[in-house]
């Protein structure tokens, strides 16, 4: 078996928004991540590719402040990060959009957009939610990202999965995220919806955010990604920049490359012996 070739991304000389260097994480004896390095730059998309159990969720949890890494360094804008909670990660500008978005399905889109950060007006006993501002801001912020929702008053539960992802991305941009971590945003979507979501992922990048796109789909990653790392059973098996890898190579590495070739040989049908009904060649 040959190990996929690793092409180390070039050093651009800029301080990354987030940098992981040789990071490892163990759960007891289980190696969830080992020796993972990743750079996230403003205005770029860094893709993390991996199959089930590769360590993608663990990586998200470290960046999002849910878990601490056991070894290696984790830097935010060049400073060693020791996040103790997701709130702290958010305060440092790291927003994470999970696949099962935390929304209240029956509440309007604008209410979900501001959930937990509602603007108010008036003082003392007259203080109340500034509904007009929330409604108008939601509408204009979505439009700014190119999302033209028919009606921001509709319950968010009536939107498609893709539209909900887009609202979550627009929300992170509005609330000033510098880094946007997206947990498999296209995993449950069809081709068309995936395309729409990837468009808004690119819009977040164009707004100057550094994006971490977690996915198991090399086609989606290659469409928008600037950097790619591949995880396999917790280990980083390859690291590339866009100009150092082709889609075919990325797909081959993601699919298991030589492992897949071995499997193909194993699955190739052996000729059925003549006494079992096979024919002489
Ligand atoms: P999936 O796409 O299936 O969610 P993943 O790439 O997100 O997979 P992780 O969930 O990060 O992978 O898991 C990496 C490894 O660490 C797996 O072997 C998993 O069983 C193990 N693991 C993850 N979380 C824990 C935990 N809390 N305790 C023990 N082992 C864990």
């Amino acid at each position: 078996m040959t190990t996929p070739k690793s092409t180390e991304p070039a050093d651009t000389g800029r301080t990354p928004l987030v940098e992981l260097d040789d990071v490892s994480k163990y759960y007891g004896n289980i190696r969830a991540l080992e020796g993972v390095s990743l750079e996230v730059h403003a205005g770029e998309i860094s893709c993390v590719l991996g199959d089930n159990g590769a360590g993608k969720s663990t990586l998200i949890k470290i960046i999002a402040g849910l878990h601490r890494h056991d070894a290696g360094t984790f830097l935010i804008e060049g400073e060693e990060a020791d996040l103790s909670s997701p709130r702290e990660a958010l305060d440092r500008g790291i927003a994470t959009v999970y696949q099962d978005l935390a929304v209240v399905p029956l509440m309007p889109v604008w209410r979900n957009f501001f959930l937990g950060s509602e603007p108010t007006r008036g003082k003392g006993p007259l203080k109340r939610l500034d509904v007009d501002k929330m409604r108008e801001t939601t509408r204009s912020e979505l439009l700014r990202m190119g999302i033209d929702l028919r009606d921001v008053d509709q319950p968010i539960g009536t939107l498609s999965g893709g539209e909900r992802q887009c609202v979550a991305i627009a929300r992170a941009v509005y609330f000033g995220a510098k880094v946007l971590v997206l947990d498999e945003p296209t995993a449950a979507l069809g081709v068309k919806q995936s395309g729409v979501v990837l468009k808004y992922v690119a819009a977040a990048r164009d707004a100057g955010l550094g994006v971490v796109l977690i996915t198991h789909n090399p086609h989606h990653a290659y469409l928008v990604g600037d950097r790619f790392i591949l995880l396999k059973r917790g280990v980083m098996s390859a690291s590339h920049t866009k100009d150092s890898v082709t889609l075919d190579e990325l797909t081959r590495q993601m699919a298991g490359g030589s492992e897949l070739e071995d499997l193909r040989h194993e699955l190739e049908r052996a000729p059925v012996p003549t006494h079992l009904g096979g024919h002489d060649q």
Side-chain angles (χ1 to χ4, degrees):
M1 194 186 115
T2 52
T3 320
K5 199 170 126 257
S6 250
T7 357
E8 283 303 320
D11 182 5
T12 56
R14 290 180 291 151
T15 305
L17 292 173
V18 163
E19 184 174 5
L20 302 182
D21 186 22
D22 214 8
V23 160
S24 302
K25 172 78 193 168
Y26 300 90
Y27 295 107
N29 290 333
I30 299 169
R31 174 191 72 188
L33 277 184
E34 196 166 79
V36 173
S37 299
L38 171 73
E39 285 184 18
V40 183
H41 289 267
E44 279 190 12
I45 299 177
S46 297
C47 301
V48 178
L49 288 139
D51 242 326
N52 289 351
K56 305 183 299 297
S57 307
T58 305
L59 188 68
I60 295 179
K61 284 174 188 156
I62 292 172
I63 300 176
L66 271 153
H67 287 175
R68 280 201 168 93
H69 56 294
D70 297 317
T73 44
F74 170 21
L75 305 175
I76 299 179
E77 295 183 83
E79 275 176 31
E80 184 103 30
D82 185 23
L83 302 177
S84 56
S85 68
R87 180 74 248 173
E88 205 181 326
L90 206 55
D91 290 344
R92 302 285 301 268
I94 300 174
T96 305
V97 174
Y98 292 97
Q99 215 184 102
D100 51 346
L101 300 166
V103 293
V104 185
L106 290 176
M107 281 187 174
V109 174
W110 58 264
R111 192 74 170 81
N112 275 282
F113 193 93
F114 280 94
L115 209 59
S117 310
E118 292 84 353
T120 52
R121 64 178 187 198
K123 284 200 176 94
L126 294 176
K127 191 166 154 181
R128 58 202 157 87
L129 294 181
D130 194 343
V131 174
D132 291 344
K133 182 175 176 190
M134 287 193 270
R135 205 180 258 134
E136 196 33 53
T137 310
T138 303
R139 201 190 319 272
S140 60
E141 283 304 308
L142 290 177
L143 264 180
R144 209 160 66 86
M145 294 278 292
I147 306 165
D148 191 6
L149 270 196
R150 296 168 298 284
D151 178 12
V152 293
D153 276 307
Q154 64 188 312
I156 201 160
T158 62
L159 300 187
S160 70
E163 285 172 328
R164 263 178 281 169
Q165 286 282 342
C166 296
V167 171
I169 294 170
R171 181 179 196 276
V173 173
Y174 173 70
F175 283 103
K178 291 183 191 167
V179 175
L180 179 63
V181 183
L182 298 166
D183 177 18
E184 306 233 21
T186 58
L189 306 180
V191 177
K192 200 164 165 226
Q193 286 266 319
S194 295
V196 173
V197 170
L198 290 175
K199 219 173 90 187
Y200 298 120
V201 174
R205 171 202 63 201
D206 294 343
L209 277 76
V211 181
V212 182
L213 175 64
I214 313 282
T215 179
H216 58 259
N217 189 323
H219 295 270
H220 291 173
Y222 202 77
L223 272 174
V224 293
D226 298 289
R227 293 161 191 270
F228 311 90
I229 66 165
L230 271 88
L231 298 180
K232 253 178 216 165
R233 292 182 288 276
V235 177
M236 191 171 80
S237 58
S239 170
H240 305 286
T241 48
K242 177 82 171 250
D243 54 8
S244 67
V245 70
T246 61
L247 172 60
D248 281 353
E249 181 58 12
L250 196 66
T251 309
R252 201 187 69 82
Q253 290 182 5
M254 178 62 199
S258 52
E259 285 164 42
L260 204 64
E261 190 58 22
D262 293 346
L263 185 65
R264 189 173 68 81
H265 283 301
E266 263 177 56
L267 292 176
E268 260 171 9
R269 281 215 240 168
V272 182
T274 42
H275 71 279
L276 291 177
H279 300 289
D280 288 328
Q281 299 287 320

